[in-house]
C-alpha cells in the first residue's frame, strides 16, 4: 500500500495506541528519506537578517515584540490582570507562586533558549522545523476545539501543520492544531532548543511531560484544568489566557464523567440563562508574549486563544495528584 494511503486510513484502523505510534514512526522514517523542505509562503513572515537562503524566511521576529501588530482581545465577564515578574529567584517563585498556588507571568523567562535567542533564532526560522521535523507524522486536532461536535483527529506531517499555520496548506475551513504533543521526545534535537526551567525543581516529583503546541491564529483550548504544575512558555506569537482559581469551580459548571475537568461554559459567548452562576466568577487574564512563561497551578482553570500563529512549549511537573487523569478532556 502506498505511504499516502497508510497515512489516510490509519485513523480508521482498529489499532492500539502503541501500534498506531509504531506505524506512524515507520511512515515518518520513510518520509525522512523522501521529503525535502518546501518553499515558505510570503504571508506572515519577515526577514531577521541572517544568512538563510531566500527560500527560507522567518515566520516572524519572535523575540521582538515590535514585530507583532497590537491586538486587543477581551472576553465577557469579570477579570483582573495576572501579576507579571521579571526574573524571580527560585526562593521568590517558591514562596509567592508555587506555595500560594498563584498564577504568575515571568516576563523574561526563556530569552536565553536556543529556540529564539538573538544569536541562533532557531524557531524564528520555519526551515529549522522543516529540516529537523518536517516529514514526521503527528496526530493533530481538527475543528474549533476539542469539545465541539465536529472535532476529530488526523495523522499529518509536521510540514502540513506548518503549511496550514502559514496559510498555504489545506483549503479546509477547520483549523489544524498540533496540541499537547510530546514532539521533543521523538525529536530530541528540537527538545534541546527549549530548556527545562529551573522552577520545575521546586516541587517533589519530576517533569511529567514536555509538550509542543503549534497552530494558526485563533486556535482555542476551552476552559479546563490539569492535575500538574504547569509552565507554559511562549516562543512564537502571542496567546490570551483567562484563568480561574479552584475556589471558582462551583461557578464554572464542569462536565460530568470523562470530561469532568472541562467547563460547559463557552467563555467567548456565555449562556447566562443556562449557566447563571458563571456571572459571579472572577477571572484573571494575561496576554502571553514571546519569551514569557506563565505558571499555572494544579487544578487552576484556564482558557486559551492564540492571537497569532503560535508555537508554545508546556512543562508539566510534580507528583501526579490524580492517577489516571486524562489531560484536557
Amino acid at each position: 500500500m502506498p505511504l499516502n494511503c497508510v497515512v489516510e486510513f490509519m485513523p480508521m484502523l482498529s489499532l492500539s495506541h502503541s501500534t498506531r505510534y509504531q506505524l506512524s514512526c515507520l511512515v515518518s522514517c520513510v518520509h525522512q528519506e523522501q521529503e525535502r523542505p518546501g518553499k515558505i509562503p510570503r504571508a506572515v513572515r519577515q526577514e531577521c537578517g541572517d544568512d538563510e537562503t531566500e527560500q527560507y524566511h522567518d515566520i516572524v521576529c519572535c523575540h521582538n515584540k515590535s514585530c507583532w501588530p497590537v491586538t486587543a482581545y477581551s472576553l465577557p465577564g469579570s477579570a483582573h490582570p495576572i501579576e507579571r515578574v521579571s526574573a524571580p529567584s527560585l526562593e521568590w517563585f517558591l514562596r509567592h507562586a508555587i506555595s500560594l498556588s498563584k498564577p504568575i507571568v515571568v516576563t523574561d523567562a526563556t530569552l536565553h533558549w536556543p529556540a529564539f535567542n538573538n544569536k541562533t533564532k532557531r524557531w524564528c526560522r520555519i526551515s529549522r522545523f522543516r529540516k529537523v521535523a518536517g516529514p514526521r507524522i503527528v496526530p493533530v486536532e481538527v475543528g474549533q476545539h476539542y469539545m465541539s461536535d465536529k472535532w476529530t483527529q488526523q495523522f499529518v506531517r509536521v510540514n502540513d501543520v506548518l503549511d496550514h499555520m502559514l496559510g498555504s496548506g489545506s483549503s479546509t475551513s477547520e483549523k489544524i492544531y498540533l496540541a499537547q504533543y510530546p514532539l521533543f521526545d521523538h525529536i530530541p534535537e528540537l527538545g534541546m532548543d527549549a530548556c527545562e526551567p529551573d522552577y520545575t525543581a521546586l516541587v517533589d516529583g519530576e517533569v511529567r511531560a514536555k509538550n509542543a503546541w503549534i497552530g494558526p491564529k485563533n486556535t482555542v483550548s476551552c476552559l479546563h484544568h490539569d492535575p500538574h504544575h504547569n509552565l507554559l512558555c511562549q516562543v512564537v506569537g502571542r496567546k490570551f489566557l483567562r484563568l480561574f482559581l479552584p475556589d471558582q469551580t462551583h461557578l464554572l459548571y464542569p462536565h460530568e464523567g470523562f470530561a469532568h475537568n472541562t467547563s460547559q461554559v463557552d467563555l467567548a459567548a456565555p449562556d447566562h440563562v443556562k449557566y447563571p452562576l458563571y456571572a459571579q466568577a472572577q477571572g484573571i487574564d494575561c496576554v502571553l508574549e514571546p519569551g514569557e512563561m506563565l505558571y499555572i497551578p494544579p487544578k487552576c482553570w484556564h482558557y486559551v486563544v492564540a492571537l497569532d500563529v503560535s508555537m508554545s512549549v508546556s512543562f508539566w511537573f510534580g507528583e501526579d495528584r490524580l492517577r489516571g487523569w486524562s489531560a484536557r478532556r
Side-chain angles (χ1 to χ4, degrees):
M1 179 182 293
L3 282 175
N4 61 332
C5 293
V6 173
V7 175
E8 181 179 354
F9 287 105
M10 248 199 299
M12 306 177 189
L13 302 176
S14 298
L15 302 174
S16 68
H17 176 75
S18 60
T19 303
R20 286 177 183 269
Y21 169 70
Q22 292 170 2
L23 183 56
S24 68
C25 288
L26 174 61
V27 174
S28 178
C29 290
V30 176
H31 274 302
Q32 294 276 5
E33 298 299 321
Q34 296 179 344
E35 282 291 314
R36 296 182 61 188
K39 185 171 182 177
I40 310 305
R42 291 189 177 276
V44 203
R45 68 186 188 190
Q46 295 180 4
E47 287 287 355
C48 271
D50 68 5
D51 58 356
E52 290 281 353
T53 65
E54 185 178 356
Q55 184 179 11
Y56 301 118
H57 292 278
D58 300 324
I59 310 175
V60 288
C61 300
C62 55
H63 60 286
N64 188 346
K65 295 179 184 179
S66 65
C67 289
W68 295 100
V70 176
T71 302
Y73 189 89
S74 62
L75 287 174
S78 177
H80 302 286
I82 296 176
E83 182 178 356
R84 308 174 76 86
V85 181
S86 175
S89 67
L90 292 176
E91 181 181 4
W92 189 98
F93 197 84
L94 179 61
R95 287 174 177 265
H96 296 277
I98 291 179
S99 295
L100 299 179
S101 294
K102 179 182 179 181
I104 294 285
V105 172
V106 179
T107 58
D108 46 7
T110 59
L111 292 175
H112 63 287
W113 280 9
F116 69 127
N117 68 31
N118 286 330
K119 183 177 181 180
T120 59
K121 304 176 185 175
R122 290 180 181 173
W123 286 20
C124 288
R125 301 286 176 181
I126 277 293
S127 59
R128 166 75 171 168
F129 268 83
R130 292 197 186 277
K131 190 179 302 181
V132 175
R136 172 71 63 170
I137 303 296
V138 293
V140 295
E141 300 182 358
V142 181
Q144 182 181 6
H145 55 70
Y146 68 83
M147 295 301 292
S148 62
D149 293 337
K150 295 183 179 180
W151 181 88
T152 186
Q153 289 183 299
Q154 295 178 2
F155 286 99
V156 302
R157 296 169 300 176
V158 171
N159 273 333
D160 298 324
V161 177
L162 299 176
D163 288 342
H164 180 81
M165 181 175 72
L166 297 176
S168 63
S170 171
S171 60
T172 177
S173 60
E174 299 288 3
K175 296 190 180 304
I176 295 177
Y177 190 20
L178 179 61
Q180 194 178 295
Y181 182 68
L183 182 66
F184 313 108
D185 291 348
H186 309 315
I187 308 178
E189 185 175 352
L190 276 181
M192 291 188 294
D193 291 348
C195 309
E196 182 178 310
D198 292 340
Y199 304 119
T200 61
L202 294 175
V203 300
D204 293 334
E206 58 186 15
V207 173
R208 315 289 301 194
K210 178 181 179 181
N211 289 325
W213 307 76
I214 302 174
K217 181 178 180 178
N218 293 327
T219 53
V220 173
S221 290
C222 45
L223 186 63
H224 69 285
H225 65 79
D226 302 311
H228 305 286
H229 300 271
N230 184 2
L231 294 174
L232 177 62
C233 303
Q234 193 64 17
V235 183
V236 171
R238 298 162 300 171
K239 283 183 172 176
F240 171 90
L241 294 98
R242 174 162 292 177
L243 282 67
F244 298 92
L245 297 178
D247 63 5
Q248 304 279 294
T249 297
H250 65 290
L251 306 174
L252 302 179
Y253 298 89
H255 284 275
E256 296 182 356
F258 184 57
H260 63 280
N261 69 325
T262 301
S263 171
Q264 300 178 61
V265 181
D266 178 1
L267 265 63
D271 185 338
H272 292 295
V273 175
K274 191 173 183 180
Y275 308 113
L277 294 180
Y278 175 70
Q280 304 175 31
Q282 296 292 319
I284 47 178
D285 289 354
C286 76
V287 173
L288 200 61
E289 303 273 357
E292 296 183 341
M293 176 182 74
L294 171 64
Y295 170 62
I296 305 175
K299 303 190 74 175
C300 180
W301 294 86
H302 47 289
Y303 174 92
V304 190
V305 181
L307 302 182
D308 312 286
V309 295
S310 177
M311 294 184 181
S312 313
V313 182
S314 64
F315 296 85
W316 278 14
F317 62 104
E319 292 182 346
D320 192 348
R321 297 186 177 188
L322 296 172
R323 299 293 180 183
W325 188 278
S326 179
R328 284 189 44 186
R329 14 219 182 281

